[in-house]
Amino acid sequence: MRTALRMRLVAPSATLGMAAKAADLRRQGKAILDLSAGEPDFNTPDHIKAAAKKAIDDNFTRYTPVPGIHTAREAVTAYYKNTYGVPMPRESVILTSGGKHALYTLFMALLNPGEEVLVPAPYWVSYPDMVRLAGATPVPVPSSPENGFLVTVEDLDRAATPTTRALILNSPSNPTGAHYTAAALDAIMDWAVARDIIIVSDEIYDRLVYEPAKPASMAGCFALHPEHVVVVGGLSKSFAMTGWRVGYALGHPSLIRAMSTLQSQSTSNICSIAQKAAIAALTGPMDCVEEMRLAFKRRRDLALSIIKTWEKALCPTPDGAFYLFPCLSAYYTAAVPDSTALSEALLGEAGVATVPGVAFGEDRCVRLSYATDDATLEKALTAMGDFLGKL
Ligand SMILES: Cc1ncc(COP(=O)(O)O)c(C=O)c1O
């Protein structure tokens, strides 16, 4: 069947692909230790589920306004006020079907063909494809494990050109867990304003930051630079709500209006029931979120203690999210020459599912998710270490 030319610009998501391969092997009866998941292994907290059940019983089951009901948009602004002390008007929020769709709609509303978008690498798999679908050109800005996978203003300045329209900053990062301090974000903001570049700040892991690092959001920049920053977030990761598909963008009201126009011609609005659940999540008790965060921190430390025993691996300690991104290229051989071959060998021979770093623009690494129970994590990393030791 002949499909549109634009399908050449986009590949299936590598992370979802690896999860599907692991699930296939499991169906064939193979025991797979899965470190490929990009989602919390926890259940959605009870008070959030209760709000959704009540919405159904109250027959809150019809179309809603395109950017979301007032109270749901206000729940997002309340969250930013309570968490970061940033007051925002309701008109600066649109609710979207997941953070992914916020980014997709945003790029469609913002970018023109010929414009360039700086994408610090390693990057989340979907950014380059989404930028290309919007007709613009993604420009990777490399970082290194030695620098904790963080880019500096100097790195960005070297990559920027007069056609650079936007920079995608993802902190804490998928796949590296790297997290920018508030001071680093401020420096990047000043640089972007001076060059008239819009920062798209993907903060979907914003609650998963591990002390001594402190949470930091670009939302604080709105007051001074409302036309140079858009924050994207969502409930999937922090609230264990991947299946509910609740994301949002916070930005200049005229940009949010443009995104609403696009959304009115695509998804109309996000699920009405999920909006009620989002209000409960964003304005309700946060102790369940804190429990999950502490569990992730403990697992990060457990995983790092095992990875430290792998002699030739280089793995910075990430300050957030639930991923580790060890550099394993010192183990590569003629038979296992890159991250794809290594991930495949790990799956086939050690029964451990990972995601090859090449999908994130860094072929020296593989991504490991520690969003799994301690026993699986320990078993998987031990099996992985044994496998690497034999290469
Ligand atoms: C960096 C990043 N941004 C955005 C998303 C989108 O998440 P969702 O669409 O589930 O809200 C993900 C999910 O993996 C992510 O890792």
Side-chain angles (χ1 to χ4, degrees):
M1 165 94 197
R2 189 162 60 86
T3 57
L5 291 178
R6 83 172 62 80
M7 291 312 297
R8 294 185 193 161
L9 303 174
V10 48
S13 160
T15 41
L16 298 182
M18 187 48 100
K21 258 190 209 163
D24 270 356
L25 286 174
R26 245 195 232 110
R27 265 193 296 277
Q28 292 164 24
K30 303 222 166 79
I32 299 297
L33 299 161
D34 194 354
L35 302 185
S36 74
E39 63 180 341
D41 55 319
F42 299 109
N43 293 323
T44 302
D46 285 341
H47 71 283
I48 303 174
K49 291 193 286 198
K53 288 177 195 163
K54 182 168 182 320
I56 295 174
D57 290 340
D58 290 348
N59 292 309
F60 192 71
T61 52
R62 300 198 161 82
Y63 291 133
T64 75
V66 172
I69 53 177
H70 282 5
T71 43
R73 295 170 87 190
E74 280 160 5
V76 177
T77 58
Y79 175 79
Y80 274 82
K81 179 93 181 28
N82 296 338
T83 313
Y84 300 108
V86 180
M88 301 280 294
R90 180 174 73 222
E91 293 69 30
S92 56
V93 177
I94 180 172
L95 290 163
T96 55
S97 301
K100 194 180 247 181
H101 204 247
L103 289 160
Y104 183 84
T105 309
L106 171 63
F107 294 145
M108 287 294 176
L110 188 67
L111 301 174
N112 285 309
E115 291 178 335
E116 293 178 352
V117 177
L118 301 182
V119 188
Y123 43 73
W124 182 46
V125 284
S126 298
Y127 297 143
D129 293 55
M130 286 189 188
V131 167
R132 274 191 289 268
L133 279 172
T137 306
V139 177
V141 184
S143 68
S144 67
E146 290 80 8
N147 295 335
F149 292 117
L150 296 167
V151 292
T152 61
V153 162
E154 291 71 34
D155 297 327
L156 296 168
D157 207 50
R158 268 193 299 277
T161 71
T163 50
T164 305
R165 174 82 169 113
L167 156 69
I168 305 175
L169 216 55
N170 174 213
S171 176
S173 151
N174 176 4
T176 65
H179 169 67
Y180 289 85
T181 62
L185 291 182
D186 283 346
I188 293 175
M189 187 78 240
D190 289 344
W191 169 82
V193 172
R195 293 202 63 140
D196 195 19
I197 288 170
I198 296 187
I199 297 183
V200 174
S201 187
D202 180 349
E203 302 180 1
I204 194 143
Y205 296 93
D206 79 316
R207 281 206 93 85
L208 300 179
V209 173
Y210 311 120
E211 51 277 5
K214 293 196 180 82
S217 169
M218 279 251 159
C221 301
F222 277 123
L224 282 179
H225 310 294
E227 300 204 5
H228 285 99
V229 59
V230 187
V231 169
V232 169
L235 277 58
S236 289
K237 317 290 179 173
S238 308
F239 295 89
M241 290 178 70
T242 46
W244 298 74
R245 311 310 300 131
V246 184
Y248 51 79
L250 274 159
H252 193 283
S254 66
L255 180 59
I256 297 300
R257 270 196 304 279
M259 290 177 68
S260 284
T261 303
L262 276 182
Q263 183 151 288
S264 77
Q265 299 292 14
S266 52
T267 57
S268 293
N269 57 262
I270 79 162
C271 167
S272 58
I273 300 152
Q275 292 187 50
K276 291 286 188 177
I279 296 170
L282 291 166
T283 61
M286 291 288 165
D287 43 344
C288 43
V289 175
E290 179 62 5
E291 265 171 41
M292 293 190 267
R293 189 189 73 84
L294 290 173
F296 285 132
K297 180 173 189 286
R298 196 192 60 242
R299 292 166 180 180
R300 179 200 65 169
D301 294 340
L302 167 69
L304 279 170
S305 71
I306 300 173
I307 292 173
K308 282 215 177 87
T309 66
W310 304 350
E311 271 173 27
K312 295 192 272 178
L314 176 61
C315 186
T317 299
D319 285 331
F322 41 65
Y323 306 105
L324 293 155
F325 203 58
C327 183
L328 300 176
S329 55
Y331 289 100
Y332 291 174
T333 62
V336 182
D338 54 30
S339 64
T340 307
L342 181 58
S343 276
E344 274 167 12
L346 282 167
L347 186 62
E349 292 172 42
V352 179
T354 60
V355 184
V358 69
F360 308 94
E362 176 50 272
D363 204 18
R364 295 177 296 169
C365 303
V366 299
R367 190 192 76 174
L368 311 174
S369 160
Y370 51 89
T372 188
D373 62 275
D374 294 29
T376 303
L377 191 60
E378 202 165 347
K379 242 164 118 181
L381 292 174
T382 306
M384 211 175 141
D386 291 347
F387 177 84
L388 290 171
K390 285 191 222 125
L391 279 176

